[in-house]
Amino acid sequence: MRQRHRLGRQFGWLWGAYGTSALGTWLAFGAFPLIAIQVLHAGPAEVAALSSVGALAGAAVAVPLGSWVEFRRKRPVMVGTDLVRFVALLTIPAAFALGVLSFVQLLLVSVVVAAADITFRAASGAYLKTLLPAEDLLVANARFEATTWTTTIIGPPLGGAAVGILGPVATVLADALSHLLSALGIRAMGGQEPPPERREAARPRSRDLLDGWRYILADAMLRPLLVNTAFFNGLVMAADALLAVLMLGRLGFAPWQYGLAFAAPALGGLFGARLARPLVTRFGQHRVLVVAGTLRAIWPVGLAFVGPGTAGLLLVMGVQFGLVLCCGVFNPVCATYRLERTATGRVTRTLSAWSVTTRASTALLTAVWGVLGSLLGPRTAIGLAGLLLLATPLLLPRRAPASLAETKPAPPSSPKERTMTVTTPAVDPRTAALLVMDYQQAILASLPADPEALLSQVAGAISDMRAHGAAIAYVRVGFTEADWAAIPPANKAFSVLGRQRLMHHADPATDIHHRLAPEPGDITVRKTRFGALSTTDLDRRLRDRGITTLVVTGVATGGAVLSTVVEAADRDYRLYVLSDCVADPDPQTHQMLMTGILPRLAHIVDTAELRSLLKSPSPHAGGK
C-alpha cells in the first residue's frame, strides 16, 4: 500500500482496473476452445483456426488503430476499448441463451477482442509514460507484472471450477463484466491528461500505419529487443501447446495436474517482479535486461525430458518456475526500457507495432510447430523449440545505449533528487539558460505533425526554468538584404534562402510563436545560420551572466539543435537536450541524432526529468 500511495491516486485506479481486467481474462482462460468443442462440436481444425486466425486477424485490425490512437487522448480510448470488449464478449452468453451461438460469431468476437486488447495496451503504455515520472516507470511495470502472475495463479483454478459448475459460457460473462469494471475504474481516475501530439480532428496519414515499425527498426536497441521478444514468446507458446498434447495424451496426466504444473510456478513471476527494481538499482537496467533475458532462455529445453508420474510433474513445475522467475524480472525491465527509448509522441504506434509483431509471430510459430509436432512427434518438436530458444539471447542488445549509461545509480540525497544519477548531474538555475531556438511559424510549418503538443512541452519547460530563476534565451532566424547578399553560392542550405529572398526578419512568419513570447529581461538574438552561437553575440551575453549550462530546445534536430550542441560543446558548456522539446521534419534523422550523436555531447532528458534535476537557488544568492 505504501508503494501504491507513492505512485498516486490515479495510478491506483489504473492498477486496480488492470488487475480486474486481468483476473477476468484468466477466469475465461481456454473458454473459447471449450465452447467450440463442447457447445458447437467443432473439430481440431476449427479450434486451431480460432486460436491462430483470430489472433492474426485481430493484429491486422489493430495496425491502423495504433496510428489513429496516437493523436487522441488515451484515457477515452482505454475506456472505449474496454467497453468494446465488454459488448463483444457479452454477445456470446446472449447468443447461447437464445440458442443462436455459432462458430463464426466466436471467431469474430476473438478478432474484435484481440484488436481491442492490442489497442488498449498501446494506449495504456502511452498514458503511463505521461502519468508517472521516469523513475517510477519500473515500479509501476513491476506492479503490473506481479498482478499478472497473481491473477495467473488465482484465475484458472477459479475459472475451471466455474466451468465445471456453470459451463464455459459463464466465465466469458465474468470476463465481459471485468472489462466493464475496468472501464469504470479508468473513468474514475480523474485528473488532466496532456493533449495529444496533434489536433483530434487531424486524420492519420497512410504512412502513419508503418511508423511504429520504422521507429523500432531505426533504433539500435529496440530493433534487436523486438526480434528477441517475438522469437522467444512464439517459441515458448508453441512448445507449451505441444506440451499440453504430450502431458494430457501420451503421458496420461489428469487435467488438474496439467493446470497445477502451470499455476504453481506462477509464484516465480511474483518473486521476479519484486526483484526487478532492486536488481536494476544495484546492477543497472541494461545488465539486468541482458542477464534475465539470457537466463530465461535456458529452461524450456528441459521440457523435452518430461516423463510420466510425480517425477515428470515435478520436472515440469521446476522448469516452469525457473522460466517464470526470469520472465518476472525481464518483463517489467523490458517494458520500462521500451518506454524510455520511445519518444512520447510515438509511444502508441510503437507499442501497437510491438504487440502486432509478437502476436503474429506467436500465432505463426504455433501453427508451424503444430505441423512439426505431427511430423516429428511432440517431444522432438518441444526439444527443437528449446534448442532454438538457447540462441535467442544472441538477439538481445549487447551493449548499453550511449544515451542511457548503465552505471550504478548514486543513492538519492533527498526525495527531490531521487532521479539524479552520476551520469545526469543536477541543473543549477543560477548558471543555466534555456535555449528556445527557431520556434517560428515558417519553420514549424515544415514539421510532419501539428506542433501544438511540441509548443505545450516547450512552454512548460520555459515556465519551469523561469520559476527557478534561470535565464531564457530566444533564438530566431531572420535575414536583412545585406544578410542575403552575404550568403555565398557555396553554402548549399542558405544560398537558396538568399536567392529566393526567404525568411525576411520583418516577416511575421519569422516571429517567435506567440505561445512562447519572450518577456522583459530575456535574451533574444537573430541568427543567419544554423547554429545559435555562430552569427550572434549569444555566447558573450551568456558569459556576462555567468551561464555555464545550456538546456536546449529547438527545431530542427538536424539543423539548429545539432549545430548549436556541437559548437556549445566545443566551448565547454554543460549541455542538456530536452527530448520532448525538439523535432525534425524527418523522423529518422531525429531518431538517429537523439540516440546516436547528441548523447555523446549532451545529457538527453525530457521535461519531467528536467523538473527533478532543477535545484532551487539559495535564498541568500544574489542575482546574475
Side-chain angles (χ1 to χ4, degrees):
M1 292 300 292
R2 179 182 64 85
Q3 194 69 31
R4 178 174 176 171
H5 176 74
R6 189 176 74 83
L7 295 181
R9 173 183 173 277
Q10 285 183 285
F11 176 77
W13 278 105
L14 182 63
W15 186 17
Y18 175 87
T20 302
S21 177
L23 179 60
T25 299
W26 281 107
L27 283 172
F29 178 70
F32 274 34
L34 281 174
I35 293 173
I37 295 169
Q38 295 182 359
V39 178
L40 302 176
H41 308 293
E46 291 174 304
V47 174
L50 190 61
S51 300
S52 57
V53 176
L56 286 172
V61 171
V63 172
L65 291 177
S67 59
W68 181 83
V69 172
E70 190 76 78
F71 309 113
R72 269 77 186 165
R73 294 185 185 273
K74 305 306 181 286
R75 276 180 56 200
V77 171
M78 292 157 64
V79 171
T81 50
D82 263 336
L83 293 177
V84 166
R85 288 185 285 185
F86 166 66
V87 173
L89 290 168
L90 195 62
T91 64
I92 293 177
F96 175 77
L98 296 172
V100 294
L101 183 63
S102 67
F103 179 80
V104 172
Q105 182 182 352
L106 274 185
L107 188 60
L108 289 175
V109 170
S110 70
V111 171
V112 171
V113 170
D117 183 60
I118 291 172
T119 305
F120 179 92
R121 289 176 181 272
S124 63
Y127 182 71
L128 184 67
K129 185 168 182 176
T130 64
L131 179 66
L132 297 177
E135 72 273 11
D136 284 338
L137 288 176
L138 179 56
V139 178
N141 283 314
R143 290 289 172 177
F144 288 143
E145 184 72 10
T147 302
T148 296
W149 292 113
T150 301
T151 55
T152 303
I153 297 169
I154 298 173
L158 291 178
V163 168
I165 298 172
L166 302 173
V169 174
T171 60
V172 175
L173 177 60
D175 191 14
L177 292 174
S178 75
H179 292 301
L180 176 61
L181 293 174
S182 174
L184 294 174
I186 295 169
R187 181 69 180 81
M189 289 174 64
Q192 295 294 321
E193 180 181 351
E197 184 177 285
R198 63 182 181 185
R199 295 186 185 95
E200 294 188 8
R203 296 179 180 178
R205 302 152 300 177
S206 58
R207 72 176 188 176
D208 287 336
L209 302 181
L210 301 178
D211 258 4
W213 283 283
R214 288 196 186 100
Y215 193 93
I216 293 169
L217 294 176
D219 189 289
M221 302 300 153
L222 292 181
R223 182 175 60 250
L225 194 58
L226 173 61
V227 176
N228 170 271
T229 303
F231 276 103
F232 180 86
N233 290 356
L235 289 170
V236 167
M237 295 302 295
D240 282 350
L242 293 177
L243 184 62
V245 174
L246 181 63
M247 291 182 67
L248 297 174
R250 297 183 184 181
L251 298 181
F253 286 100
W256 70 267
Q257 292 175 309
Y258 174 75
L260 180 65
F262 286 87
L267 289 170
L270 287 176
F271 297 147
R274 294 295 297 271
L275 288 171
R277 189 188 183 201
L279 288 174
V280 168
T281 300
R282 182 170 182 179
F283 299 108
Q285 183 187 59
H286 186 262
R287 183 180 299 177
V288 172
L289 186 78
V290 171
V291 172
T294 301
L295 292 178
R296 67 179 182 157
I298 68 176
W299 298 95
V301 71
L303 297 174
F305 303 99
V306 62
T310 302
L313 182 62
L314 291 176
L315 174 62
V316 174
M317 293 175 67
V319 169
Q320 290 293 332
F321 182 88
L323 171 64
V324 169
L325 175 66
C326 295
C327 288
V329 175
F330 178 88
N331 290 344
V333 177
C334 177
T336 303
Y337 187 90
R338 188 175 57 198
L339 282 178
E340 291 175 349
R341 294 289 301 178
T342 306
T344 301
R346 304 281 176 176
V347 173
T348 305
R349 281 169 286 180
T350 301
L351 294 186
S352 292
W354 196 284
S355 295
V356 167
T357 303
T358 54
R359 290 190 180 219
S361 62
T362 296
L364 290 173
L365 287 172
T366 300
V368 170
W369 251 255
V371 174
L372 290 176
S374 299
L375 296 175
L376 306 176
R379 189 185 297 276
T380 302
I382 290 170
L384 178 60
L387 290 174
L388 291 176
L389 280 165
L390 292 175
T392 57
L394 299 175
L395 302 172
L396 289 167
R398 305 308 302 179
R399 61 179 181 83
S403 59
L404 295 172
E406 291 295 336
T407 50
K408 182 179 175 180
S413 58
S414 70
K416 282 186 177 181
E417 298 177 0
R418 66 184 184 278
T419 65
M420 290 163 39
T421 69
V422 295
T423 58
T424 309
V427 177
D428 187 345
R430 295 169 297 181
T431 59
L434 178 70
L435 295 189
V436 184
M437 300 189 298
D438 297 8
Y439 281 100
Q440 302 160 262
Q441 195 60 50
I443 296 176
L444 291 171
S446 68
L447 296 179
D450 191 286
E452 288 301 312
L454 182 67
L455 292 169
S456 296
Q457 296 286 8
V458 179
I462 293 172
S463 178
D464 291 336
M465 294 290 278
R466 285 196 198 283
H468 285 80
I472 312 295
Y474 289 87
V475 183
R476 59 186 283 263
V477 182
F479 297 88
T480 65
E481 292 288 339
D483 293 329
W484 282 327
I487 301 174
N491 190 316
K492 182 178 180 180
F494 284 86
S495 59
V496 176
L497 299 178
R499 288 195 305 269
Q500 300 182 10
R501 295 299 191 260
L502 299 176
M503 300 292 290
H504 190 274
H505 72 96
D507 186 340
T510 66
D511 290 343
I512 295 168
H513 196 281
H514 65 88
R515 291 187 57 181
L516 313 178
E519 295 183 1
D522 292 338
I523 298 172
T524 58
V525 296
R526 180 177 64 85
K527 62 174 183 166
T528 57
R529 294 295 186 272
F530 283 121
L533 304 175
S534 62
T535 57
T536 71
D537 64 348
L538 180 60
D539 182 58
R540 177 188 61 77
R541 296 171 70 177
L542 292 172
R543 300 295 186 186
D544 288 346
R545 296 196 183 197
I547 302 299
T548 58
T549 297
L550 299 181
V551 180
V552 179
T553 71
V555 179
T557 317
V561 175
L562 176 62
S563 295
T564 302
V565 167
V566 169
E567 187 168 0
D570 284 346
R571 300 189 186 207
D572 299 324
Y573 284 96
R574 173 175 286 170
L575 294 167
Y576 299 78
V577 175
L578 293 185
S579 60
D580 49 356
C581 293
V582 294
D584 194 277
D586 183 354
Q588 291 186 341
T589 297
H590 172 83
Q591 178 66 10
M592 181 270 293
L593 291 172
M594 293 299 293
T595 59
I597 305 299
L598 294 176
R600 301 176 185 176
L601 305 171
H603 301 286
I604 309 299
V605 299
D606 58 23
T607 49
E609 292 169 315
L610 175 65
R611 294 187 198 105
S612 67
L613 293 170
L614 281 167
K615 297 192 303 183
S616 297
S618 165
H620 303 293
K624 293 183 181 65

